[in-house]
Amino acid sequence: MVKSYLRYEAQSTFGVIASPGGKAVFDHSGRLSITPALESVIVWDIKKGTQVVRWSDSDNTAEVTCIARSPNGKDYAVGYVDGSIRLFDLTGNTVNVVLNGHRGSVSALRFDSTGTVLASGARDTDIVLWDVVGEVGLYRLRGHKDEITGLAFVAARGETALNASASGHV
């Protein structure tokens, strides 16, 4: 058997495609993948296999932990290890809003159906409801004993927040 495959060498490297610490999110059309890449976020065109844009903030060196898509389809919330949250626009590379309110790594993000309220959960066991338009925290919810692992808004006579933690509480 001839080992002809040994003749091939890599001509170039592609770079970081995605970091293992966070999960990719797709845009509303399913054409673009928004993936965490260390301290940056890369938007990939899935069909072409090309990088569309790279979101980064020069003031930030923390790794991306989670990403959430707004119902309007163009705004994305990005959570970081240092507890900060940054809102990016799909079309640009600028940070629209920076929200600081967690002492631990942001582990869950979710927008409500209007896109004006953002819920964030973190390893500090707190949940913060943010007014995205006013760029302020509305409420801090405490009571979990472990990291917040999931958030959801349930429509029942207005919107109600639902959360889950690693300790098994819902």
Side-chain angles (χ1 to χ4, degrees), residues 87 97-99 111-112 114-119 128-139:
L87 273 68
V97 177
V98 177
L99 304 169
F111 282 96
D112 72 339
T114 64
T116 59
V117 176
L118 174 68
V128 179
L129 296 177
W130 302 93
D131 179 2
V132 175
V133 178
E135 302 177 14
V136 296
L138 297 172
Y139 305 102

Side-chain angles (χ1 to χ4, degrees), residues 97-108:
V97 177
V98 177
L99 304 169
N100 291 306
H102 288 289
R103 296 179 312 274
S105 174
V106 177
S107 55

